[in-house]
Amino acid sequence: MLIQHGTILSPMDKKEFSADLRIMDGKITEIGSLAPTAQEEVIDASGCMVAPGLIDVHVHFRDPGLTYKEDLHTGACAAAAGGFTSVVCMANTKPAADSPEVIQDILARAAAEKIRIFQAAAVTKGMKGTELTDFHALAKAGACGFTDDGIPLLDEKIVTEAMNQAKELDLPLSFHEEDPCFIQQSGSNATAPAIAEDILVARDCMLALHTGAAISIQHISSGNSVALVRTAKSLGAKVFAEATPHHFSLTEDAVAEFGTLAKMNPPLRTEADRQAIIEGLKDGTIDLIVTDHAPHSDEEKAKSFGLAPSGIIGLETSLALGITNLVRPGHLTMLELMEKMSANPAKLYHLPFGSMETGAAADLVIFNPEETFCPTSWHSKSSNSPFTGKQLYGTVKYTICRGEIAFRR
């Protein structure tokens, strides 16, 4: 396969240049001014950018146990349509991904999909927060990290021991930071205030400094939490932070407009919080852009706000929201966006992807940053998004994984 006339984005070494790119046997074999060979498939990338395939380290594919919302196949299709070639699935499946058998089952079935699917393991058995899982056995089974995402860990001794074991294995540990003591009702800023997030972020930043473990603060939503992560980094803690497109694109006002489609944990917050997240992305405090892709059925989201589940889908709009709300207003360059959507996630999870050089895996996204689209239908099994019908910049034209086309528009 030959990709011609595109602009290459190489976030690992911070280079942007015009070149052609040849793929053979799942690898990038040549970069330069290249002519096609006989019977070689040629992709004309004129007007497009060619970048490492996007990597989302925070998705929910609901498989096993909740596959009426999503499954490995439909999740993979949604990811490919959004330009993602690798994803990390969270552990809150049914049963939870807390045993080697569940991890191995998921990974065996995921191997048939057109993108790379990795699986995080639960920190505690049954995600009940009281007893650690067998980290070593789970890592041996193929777990790429540990998280009880969706449920905060409230026992400091459990958290500290988890950090010590994760450090020993050199695997990341990710935290959902919402202390239920401060939450009257989840999903809105008025009833799940920022202090619920801030107090656990402060605790875990200091425990990370104490233990030396690499941790990730998931889906950060509070300006104060951004400041806490910034301080922890300055002290030498190995703290990373995620931001979602909905938290840098929307505020709590979206709840009045979209109802349960704008209900998520942690909730959308104030404009000041949104701006603090953008500033954190700009100065490097926030390392990762993730979707927290959380599919739910129409029937579930049609319930009253108090009863409806939290979360939205996000894989098919993440790149476009980054271009529309971060790059075009001048907050990030395109290279900086790619760094947070491919290079940094690869580094945190020790994945051998995210680079654009000869010999690298041919996991690529080709997109036109100037072309707009309005998402009205979804490759996901679910459709719970407040961005349906919104005009967005940045159309994915091709997603290539392992040297094969996983998606083309």
Side-chain angles (χ1 to χ4, degrees), residues 247-299:
H247 284 114
F248 67 66
S249 298
L250 301 173
T251 70
E252 59 185 344
D253 295 341
V255 174
E257 182 177 358
F258 299 107
T260 61
L261 292 181
K263 181 183 180 183
M264 62 268 304
N265 299 338
L268 300 171
R269 302 203 187 277
T270 67
E271 176 62 14
D273 290 309
R274 189 181 79 87
Q275 290 298 330
I277 290 169
I278 291 173
E279 190 58 37
L281 287 163
K282 290 168 66 174
D283 70 13
T285 299
I286 300 174
D287 311 88
L288 317 167
I289 291 174
V290 305
T291 64
D292 190 15
H293 178 79
H296 296 293
S297 69
D298 291 344
E299 293 77 14

Side-chain angles (χ1 to χ4, degrees), residues 3 7 12 19 22 27 37 93 146 219 272 312 334 337 375 399:
I3 301 169
T7 298
M12 284 287 191
R22 175 164 281 122
K27 302 286 186 182
T37 61
T93 51
F146 302 92
H219 40 43
I312 67 171
M334 197 67 75
L337 181 66
T399 301

